[in-house]
Amino acid sequence: NEGLYRYTNLNNDEVYFSSNIQRLIQNYRSGFLQLALDDLYSSDNDGKSRTVDLLSKMDEYFPTSVIPVSDPELDIQIGRIYNQAGVPENLRERLQSLRNRQDIGIDTYFYIGQVYLNELNDTTAAIELYNEMKIEYPYLSDIRLALVQIYSQNEDFVNAIKELEEWLEVSPNNQQAKDLLKYLETQA
């Protein structure tokens, strides 16, 4: 190992990492992800297990608790790769961790909600997230619409109607909410 320069302590939370080093680690993660995707989509029988091994090594070498993934959506993508490889718990943990971050925007929260619905089939977590968002952004109709759609798809028309009525309380002239309420009342 003489003559080689090696970064060490990348998993040590007592070491300071400058922004340059943190960006460099994102490049290393990118290499791991490329290899993991190659294995995931390979025709080999053990491709998924190799994917999980690679991602586990990446997380061991560069734990997100020490050097966070700079882009929240990349963190979601890493979790989605784990999920496709058969480890949905990792995606769920990443989503929960992201929900606790203070530096993400509403678009990312929407994306997290969609991942709960489409990737994990977890309507309870999606409803919980959208209800949290609704408190912070009561006038944002997209949040209300997402909740109405989830309730309607689950044939929970009582909660869908309740959501629409609340929506109309904060936006009484919203024609979309009025039309949806009229329609859902015929379904209930």
Side-chain angles (χ1 to χ4, degrees), residues 129-166:
L129 175 65
Y130 288 129
N131 276 317
E132 289 171 9
M133 291 171 60
K134 180 177 70 172
I135 293 168
E136 189 168 347
Y137 305 99
Y139 299 104
L140 193 59
S141 60
D142 289 343
I143 297 169
R144 307 274 183 174
L145 183 59
L147 282 165
V148 170
Q149 288 173 337
I150 293 169
Y151 290 134
S152 297
Q153 288 171 355
N154 289 326
E155 297 183 2
D156 184 356
F157 299 117
V158 171
N159 278 320
I161 290 170
K162 179 182 169 199
E163 191 61 47
L164 285 166
E165 290 170 346
E166 287 179 18

Side-chain angles (χ1 to χ4, degrees), residues 45-62:
N45 291 337
D46 61 341
K48 287 184 177 183
S49 66
R50 286 197 319 259
T51 296
V52 172
D53 288 343
L54 271 169
L55 293 177
S56 296
K57 285 180 183 168
M58 177 187 73
D59 285 340
E60 180 184 329
Y61 296 150
F62 326 115

Side-chain angles (χ1 to χ4, degrees), residues 44-117:
D44 295 344
N45 291 337
D46 61 341
K48 287 184 177 183
S49 66
R50 286 197 319 259
T51 296
V52 172
D53 288 343
L54 271 169
L55 293 177
S56 296
K57 285 180 183 168
M58 177 187 73
D59 285 340
E60 180 184 329
Y61 296 150
F62 326 115
T64 57
S65 61
V66 177
I67 303 172
V69 176
S70 57
D71 181 5
E73 292 193 16
L74 176 60
D75 207 9
I76 295 170
Q77 293 305 322
I78 294 169
R80 290 180 71 208
I81 295 169
Y82 266 112
N83 186 45
Q84 291 174 356
V87 186
E89 311 82 53
N90 186 282
L91 175 57
R92 188 174 303 284
E93 289 168 10
R94 287 175 187 272
L95 293 177
Q96 186 59 46
S97 175
L98 285 170
R99 287 176 63 178
N100 295 328
R101 280 178 60 167
Q102 301 298 315
D103 64 337
I104 63 174
I106 192 162
D107 291 343
T108 303
Y109 281 115
F110 263 103
Y111 184 34
I112 291 169
Q114 292 302 309
V115 171
Y116 275 127
L117 285 172

